[in-house]
Amino acid sequence: MTSELPAALSEIREEFLALSGQDRLQLLLEFANELPELPARFADDPALTERVVECQAPVYIAIEVDDAGVHMHATAPREAPTTRGFASILSQGLDGLSAQEVLAIPADFPLSLGLTELISPLRLNGMSGMLSRAQRLTVEKSK
Amino acid sequence: MTVEFDSSPAFAGFAHPERLVSTEWLAEHLADPGLVIVESDEDVLLYEVGHIPGAVKVDWHTELNDPVTRDYLDGKGFAALLSAKGISRDSTVVFYGDKSNWWAAYALWVFTLFGHEDVRLLDGGRAKWESEGREMTTEKPRRDTTDYPVVERDDTTVRAFREDVLDHLGAPLIDVRSPEEYRGERTTAPAYPEEGALRAGHIPTARNVPWSRAAAEDGTFRGRDELEAIYRGEAGVAESEPVIAYCRIGERSSHTWFVLTHLLGQENVRNYDGSWTEWGSAVRVPIARGDEPGEAPAPR
């Protein structure tokens, strides 16, 4: 079923799998550093974002759906780089997809990045939580 | 070669003040030969974002655990790990990390299983060092590898297994998790995902003393008098009694193990690292719910 993964997410996964052990963590750190600031319209109004309670760190996400597709925004503290990395992967991988494509992302995508031996299950749960919330918000915003 | 101790008056009241160093002390001793600084965090990427100059990273998840069996690495694995990190048997190791040193205390406790003598904790951890605007770097230190000896792990002195806890019921047992976890309302700390145990509650007779009560606002340890009031007064731990502490996977209880052993000088403190993820899923072990410790079942 992996062939159905949208191109951007598929590329991200290939990037991870092409690397070994510690280099994968380094790549996750690069993603963490690329996470853009939350746009002001979300930062100013906490009601527009949703807390990802599955993550240990305080992480908030927001989903927008417009003519160009789905956009995910996220914010997480600097002292939680792993979580920032996950948010950044999803934010880049989801951007511009149709709502249907977002909903078709398999729930085990976070487990397919080759990080299961490097990162504790509790943290990967956080990324799964982020994905399922993004999918639910996509449904809500598409109505 | 032993690095001199931090003789800060703040630590003088503790039973083993030599187990703590302050951020000031560490800043002045960064380059001491014989000293190795170890960062151990919950967030496995935090070290890469920036760390105390010269510090090496020890990852609790990938480096201290056996990759297959739920256990710690063995003597050979520990020797290989420490040799690769450039730590010698006589090195002074100062641990620090995020989350008020949860994971740093955990790593220190694992080093203790192998009898590494000179282990110390940075009071206040990573957050205090950062908040004081002290130097951080992303540069990884190049340390020469060492020839750390193979020492067998001692699982009898500071570590408790499920059977030990069953035999211990009735003697002082400290549950260091949050009150919500203790009462049985949830199986993980608030704001953490539900995961890992099939039943909620606590081990009968355990007193609930959340680990964080030992820490002040800035993450440093509370003074001797306050700690005595909490552990001897409220929790009723007498000086002569053996104690077991537990949490979810043994990391928060390492912090309490450190407090009881090194700050209060309690002899015979063991950390039950199986903790709630084992007990809360084990078949036919007794469990209590609610605010009360509950009764010890009849001896086996």
Side-chain angles (χ1 to χ4, degrees):
Chain A
M1 301 298 278
T2 49
S3 55
E4 289 173 14
L5 206 58
L9 284 174
S10 173
E11 269 169 42
I12 290 171
R13 184 169 64 189
E14 277 162 31
E15 267 186 80
F16 273 102
L17 296 182
L19 299 170
S20 58
Q22 290 303 309
D23 290 337
R24 287 185 191 163
L25 283 184
Q26 201 56 43
L27 179 60
L28 187 60
L29 183 61
E30 284 168 29
F31 274 101
N33 292 334
E34 288 167 10
L35 183 69
E37 291 289 319
L38 197 63
R41 60 188 183 281
F42 294 108
D44 295 342
D45 186 356
L48 295 176
T49 57
E50 176 167 308
R51 169 134 194 204
V52 182
V53 299
E54 290 84 357
C55 286
Q56 286 95 324
V59 184
Y60 295 84
I61 62 167
I63 291 284
E64 279 183 311
V65 182
D66 59 22
D67 293 344
V70 174
H71 312 283
M72 178 182 139
H73 310 283
T75 176
R78 299 217 74 88
E79 64 269 21
T82 306
T83 308
R84 290 176 63 85
F86 288 158
S88 178
I89 288 172
L90 288 183
S91 155
Q92 292 184 29
L94 266 55
D95 199 63
L97 296 183
S98 70
Q100 255 184 335
E101 287 171 317
V102 169
L103 296 180
I105 298 168
D108 65 355
F109 169 73
L111 302 177
S112 70
L113 298 174
L115 295 169
T116 48
E117 284 177 8
L118 301 168
I119 292 179
S120 73
L122 207 58
R123 298 211 140 256
L124 286 166
N125 271 357
M127 190 177 181
S128 301
M130 214 181 289
L131 173 61
S132 64
R133 281 167 192 278
Q135 290 174 321
R136 203 200 69 243
L137 286 169
T138 298
V139 173
E140 287 173 18
K141 301 287 174 188
S142 306
K143 280 176 187 166
Chain B
M1 88 193 100
T2 303
V3 176
E4 67 166 286
F5 297 124
D6 181 351
S7 52
S8 312
F11 302 151
F14 294 127
H16 300 291
E18 72 278 9
R19 295 298 181 180
L20 286 178
V21 303
S22 61
T23 48
E24 293 81 9
W25 182 94
L26 188 57
E28 285 165 19
H29 290 81
L30 287 177
D32 279 19
L35 175 81
V36 184
I37 307 166
V38 168
E39 173 160 347
S40 211
D41 297 312
E42 177 175 81
D43 191 305
V44 297
L45 280 179
L46 199 49
Y47 171 88
E48 280 75 10
V49 170
H51 51 263
I52 296 177
V56 298
K57 168 184 175 177
V58 169
D59 186 318
W60 64 274
H61 179 57
T62 57
E63 296 183 320
L64 297 179
N65 284 307
D66 182 280
V68 181
T69 308
R70 183 173 174 193
D71 201 355
Y72 300 103
L73 34 61
D74 61 11
K76 217 173 144 193
F78 188 73
L81 176 71
L82 269 67
S83 298
K85 301 282 176 191
I87 301 174
S88 304
R89 187 69 175 162
D90 63 354
S91 295
T92 295
V93 183
V94 170
F95 295 86
Y96 77 100
D98 61 356
K99 308 270 172 182
S100 301
N101 282 333
W102 277 12
W103 307 93
Y106 190 44
L108 184 152
W109 176 78
V110 173
F111 275 47
T112 304
L113 293 175
F114 293 95
H116 191 97
E117 185 71 31
D118 193 354
V119 289
R120 311 181 193 180
L121 209 50
L122 174 66
D123 198 26
R126 180 180 166 106
K128 185 157 193 283
W129 181 275
E130 271 194 303
S131 72
E132 291 167 347
R134 296 185 187 276
E135 190 185 353
M136 302 284 276
T137 179
T138 52
E139 196 180 320
K140 291 187 183 161
R142 289 167 192 272
R143 298 190 61 86
D144 293 334
T145 56
T146 57
D147 192 12
Y148 199 93
V150 175
V151 182
E152 282 317 307
R153 198 180 66 221
D154 173 8
D155 287 337
T156 62
T157 312
V158 298
R159 186 179 189 194
F161 296 103
R162 191 176 72 196
E163 299 73 24
D164 301 324
V165 178
L166 281 166
D167 291 340
H168 182 85
L169 292 181
L173 185 60
I174 300 182
D175 182 323
V176 314
R177 298 173 303 158
S178 62
E180 291 86 351
E181 293 167 273
Y182 178 84
R183 287 195 296 262
E185 291 160 16
R186 51 182 306 140
T187 57
T188 56
Y192 278 60
E194 291 281 350
E195 178 237 38
L198 295 172
R199 288 287 189 268
H202 58 266
I203 303 177
T205 73
R207 299 293 186 111
N208 184 211
V209 185
W211 69 277
S212 55
R213 298 215 31 217
E217 291 292 308
D218 63 355
T220 58
F221 289 107
R222 295 192 182 279
R224 178 81 183 254
D225 292 348
E226 288 172 280
L227 295 177
E228 296 271 356
I230 295 168
Y231 295 99
R232 303 229 182 278
E234 288 175 40
V237 176
E239 243 169 273
S240 54
E241 289 177 299
V243 189
I244 294 178
Y246 73 93
C247 57
R248 192 182 66 86
I249 55 170
E251 85 303 17
R252 284 173 285 176
S253 44
S254 298
H255 189 271
T256 298
W257 168 85
F258 182 90
V259 170
L260 289 169
T261 302
H262 293 313
L263 304 187
L264 294 183
Q266 185 86 14
E267 312 258 331
N268 201 346
V269 184
R270 286 179 291 167
N271 180 21
Y272 168 38
D273 57 276
S275 275
W276 198 255
T277 48
E278 177 180 52
W279 196 277
S281 293
V283 176
R284 293 176 84 176
V285 296
I287 290 176
R289 283 199 179 176
D291 288 314
E292 295 303 320
E295 299 291 321
R300 295 192 297 161

